[in-house]
Amino acid sequence: MADVSGPFALGLLYGLVMKALYIYGATLIFINTSDNFKFEINQKFSIFLAAAFLFSAYLIVLAGYYQYGLSCCERHSTFKDCLIFLALICISASIASIFTSKKIISKTPLVQLGSAFIFISILIGVFGSYQNISKAYNGFASKKEMIHANWERGLTSDKAMIFEQRDDPIVGGILRPPGTYVMGNDVDWGAAAIMRFFSKESITFTSD
């Protein structure tokens, strides 16, 4: 059974509160916009889009586990997060359609109020990830140097290379066990890909 205490539970709480505020804020903005510009929100289409975005995000996770055995990689994680927030926007539009169809219109400045809720949700997300964001920012220069050094070693004429690797506190990444890998049939797929790209016969992974 998964451990739902400690940092995991706190992260789950941050995520739920942030997304709830985001949906509430976006819903208020949709209600105001629909009323002011006299257009009708198609609830069924909004629900369909939300389901499509969520299913696409699920497929990204499924494909990652199928191909790599874990949820991968940085670009996939970013794209998945974008799909989830697009789904939240569509859910907000669907909820807003209920109120606009019933003509429940308030004189409250809904755009300003909705924007405030979205801003608060962003602040919660930043606050929850502050330590990781700070760590990633402080380590940006050294990581950039590490990537540059990997490329420099890869472009040499040597048939062996050293490949430094470091986990990213924000988007994660794949860290291979430190050691030397030699090109062959049973070599790790990632190590083999790097060796083929740089025309190497062996690669040594190091880790901080």
Side-chain angles (χ1 to χ4, degrees), residues 55-73:
F55 184 68
S56 298
Y58 169 76
L59 285 181
I60 290 175
V61 176
L62 185 67
Y65 274 99
Y66 176 80
Q67 183 67 34
Y68 309 115
L70 73 164
S71 184
C72 167
C73 304

Side-chain angles (χ1 to χ4, degrees), residues 165-208:
Q165 52 183 356
R166 183 182 306 156
D167 189 28
D168 191 289
I170 296 296
V171 296
I174 299 176
L175 294 182
R176 289 171 179 81
T180 300
Y181 296 75
V182 180
M183 181 65 81
N185 294 330
D186 59 346
V187 71
D188 175 84
W189 65 268
I194 297 172
M195 284 188 281
R196 279 195 296 267
F197 184 84
F198 288 113
S199 300
K200 304 298 183 184
E201 295 178 359
S202 68
I203 184 171
T204 300
F205 287 100
T206 65
S207 180
D208 289 345

Side-chain angles (χ1 to χ4, degrees), residues 73 106 117 190:
C73 304
S106 170
F117 276 108

